[in-house]
Amino acid sequence: MKISADVVGLGFAHVASRVEDIRRRAIARREAERAAREARAAMRRDVRLMTERRAQELADGKRGSP
């Protein structure tokens, strides 16, 4: 059975398309993971700053009981 060059070409195009889709999804996943890490780091930083500010205000006597 002879397979035409067009059929082979379509097969390669399909495989290349799937590989590109997988690569694109992997890149998007890495970017999402990085954004999530940065968001968590920002939240930790904000909580730390608020805690330090609150501790300083309590030390200075500017605030009463929580």
Side-chain angles (χ1 to χ4, degrees), residues 34-53:
R34 180 184 50 77
R37 272 195 310 275
E38 290 175 0
R40 284 192 300 269
M43 282 190 283
R44 282 193 302 270
R45 194 168 42 248
D46 290 347
V47 168
R48 189 184 74 241
L49 290 172
M50 286 188 291
T51 303
E52 290 172 357
R53 186 179 305 136

Side-chain angles (χ1 to χ4, degrees), residues 11-30:
F12 283 130
H14 176 72
V15 170
S17 173
R18 291 286 297 138
V19 168
E20 184 64 22
D21 290 345
I22 291 168
R23 189 182 70 79
R24 219 177 287 123
R25 278 197 303 267
I27 290 169
R29 187 180 64 245
R30 281 194 300 270

